[in-house]
């Protein structure tokens, strides 16, 4: 990618979140101009090769999106509505969630359209595999998109808006439909509210790990570092990936029961205590249809298009996160 006679300008929306922090870290190592936009200050790696501008703003405010994407050669859209530990548990009729998850995508497209750029900027969007959650006879996610929740419907609508804008040559857009993400403990622990980090913190605290539906649902677990590399790979191959959505995962199946047992064992190895128990409990009232589905992705097409490969096996990733959470817990206790 090239800018207009200078280094390219990349805008990352949602740069202060877990994935945004990882993507920003990847991009900061490159000789480019980097605009990091988040609701809270974004951590910038020491000695970046990029020229970094950090903006702390609420993108839902009038004009904020247009300012954020002005003159950008590429926009990486990672913003999602956050409402407690389960950001995907969006209630139907939640207008704020719809404004953030879908409305901001329309704002980005219209802001870019107004710029009338000679070459359409790249636009990469963080989707979710759950937006394609149709359940065929074998119990795995099927090819037809039948999103079962408000969150998934908003994600799919945003993806469709980007596809339409790409067809109009307003942007060169693509959606990466992501597997279940987890941190390796590289970033601040409070950034990761996902199930792997939550259960790791419970195990370090000596609490039992509780699962629904006997833990039979299978997940494709992808480290956030591998995910960040997928976004940079897509950016490098934008003309090959534009106009399509892509599944991004490892292709490996791990049941929730096996995952939780893995977490308990990894934490036990770090703390010297026996593994905490893993127990099945009735689903909570806020459980979703997707909690019972298998989500295992096929990313071979994206790998062929970009050369990307996941590098972190799930057992190694769980062990690294357990080590990081255990260290953080000890440091907090010592500082008190």
């Amino acid at each position: 990618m090239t800018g207009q006679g200078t280094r390219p300008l990349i805008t990352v929306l949602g740069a202060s979140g877990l994935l945004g922090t990882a993507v920003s870290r990847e991009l900061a190592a490159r000789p480019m101009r980097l605009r990091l936009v988040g609701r809270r200050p974004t951590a910038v790696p020491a000695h970046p090769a990029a020229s970094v501008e950090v903006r702390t703003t609420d993108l839902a405010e009038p004009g904020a999106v247009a300012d954020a994407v002005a003159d950008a050669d590429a926009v990486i859209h990672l913003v999602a509505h956050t409402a407690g530990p389960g950001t995907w548990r969006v209630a139907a009729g939640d207008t704020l969630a719809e404004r953030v998850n879908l409305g901001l995508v329309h704002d980005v497209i219209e802001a870019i359209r107004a710029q009338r750029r000679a070459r359409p900027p790249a636009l990469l969007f963080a989707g979710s595999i759950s937006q394609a959650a149709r359940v065929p006879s074998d119990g795995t996610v099927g090819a037809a998109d039948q999103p079962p929740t408000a969150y998934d419907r908003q994600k799919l609508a945003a993806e469709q808006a980007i596809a339409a804008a790409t067809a109009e040559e307003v942007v060169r857009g693509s959606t990466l439909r992501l597997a279940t993400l987890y941190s390796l403990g590289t970033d601040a622990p409070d950034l990761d509210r996902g199930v792997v980090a939550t259960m790791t913190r419970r195990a370090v605290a000596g609490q039992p790990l509780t699962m629904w539906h006997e833990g039979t649902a299978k997940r494709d677990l992808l480290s956030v570092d591998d995910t960040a590399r997928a976004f940079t790979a897509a950016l490098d191959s934008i003309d090959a990936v534009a106009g399509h959505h892509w599944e991004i995962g490892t292709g490996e199946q791990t049941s929730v029961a096996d995952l939780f047992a893995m977490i308990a064992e990894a934490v036990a190895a770090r703390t010297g205590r026996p593994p905490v128990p893993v127990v099945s409990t009735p689903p909570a009232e806020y459980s979703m249809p997707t909690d019972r589905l298998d989500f295992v992705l096929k990313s071979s097409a994206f790998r062929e298009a970009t050369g990307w490969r996941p590098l972190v096996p799930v057992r190694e990733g769980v062990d690294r996160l357990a080590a990081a959470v255990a260290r953080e817990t000890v440091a907090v206790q010592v500082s008190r």
Side-chain angles (χ1 to χ4, degrees), residues 50-324:
S51 173
V52 182
E53 172 194 2
V54 176
R55 295 189 184 183
T56 304
T57 187
D58 182 353
L59 289 170
E61 293 294 325
V65 167
D67 288 342
V69 305
D71 301 321
D73 296 285
V75 177
I76 301 180
H77 191 298
L78 309 175
V79 181
H81 175 65
T82 56
T87 60
W88 61 95
R89 300 184 190 279
V90 174
D94 185 336
T95 56
L96 177 58
E98 185 172 9
R99 170 76 183 104
V100 173
N101 293 334
L102 176 56
L104 292 185
V105 170
H106 285 289
D107 288 353
V108 170
I109 292 169
E110 292 312 310
I112 292 174
R113 189 193 303 276
Q115 295 177 20
R116 300 182 181 275
R117 303 285 294 277
R119 180 165 172 75
L123 174 56
L124 297 177
F125 178 65
S128 172
I129 189 57
S130 62
Q131 68 194 55
R134 178 180 67 88
V135 188
S137 58
D138 64 358
T140 58
V141 175
D145 294 334
Q146 295 184 6
T149 70
Y151 172 82
D152 299 312
R153 289 189 289 273
Q154 291 161 10
K155 282 286 189 181
L156 182 58
E159 177 183 295
Q160 291 169 340
I162 292 171
T166 300
E168 295 178 43
E169 299 185 350
V170 175
V171 299
R172 290 173 292 152
S174 180
T175 296
L176 306 191
R177 292 184 174 183
L178 305 177
T180 301
L181 304 188
Y182 69 96
S183 170
L184 298 176
T186 308
D187 306 300
D190 65 315
L191 291 178
D192 193 343
R193 302 179 180 90
V195 64
V196 180
T198 298
M199 291 302 163
T200 301
R201 288 191 286 266
R202 285 180 63 93
V204 170
Q207 301 171 354
L209 308 186
T210 57
M211 58 188 179
W212 301 338
H213 311 298
E214 304 297 329
T216 56
K218 297 180 177 64
R219 293 292 183 264
D220 189 330
L221 299 159
L222 183 67
S223 78
V224 72
D225 296 61
D226 278 337
T227 311
R229 291 191 309 99
F231 275 92
T232 56
L235 194 63
D236 292 339
S237 305
I238 188 61
D239 289 325
V241 304
H244 304 280
H245 63 257
W246 307 84
E247 293 186 3
I248 310 298
T250 67
E252 298 180 5
Q253 295 186 349
T254 304
S255 71
V256 172
D258 288 344
L259 170 63
F260 286 12
M262 195 184 305
I263 291 171
E265 293 167 3
V267 169
R270 296 294 174 175
T271 62
R273 303 191 305 255
V276 297
V278 178
V279 297
S280 186
T281 62
E285 291 184 2
Y286 55 81
S287 65
M288 293 286 190
T290 48
D291 294 323
R292 303 194 70 160
L293 301 184
D294 295 342
F295 291 107
V296 181
L297 292 81
K298 298 178 181 178
S299 59
S300 56
F302 184 76
R303 299 183 191 200
E304 291 173 4
T306 66
W308 172 84
R309 297 288 187 278
L311 300 179
V312 184
V314 62
R315 188 170 293 276
E316 175 189 330
V318 167
D319 185 63
R320 288 168 64 178
L321 178 58

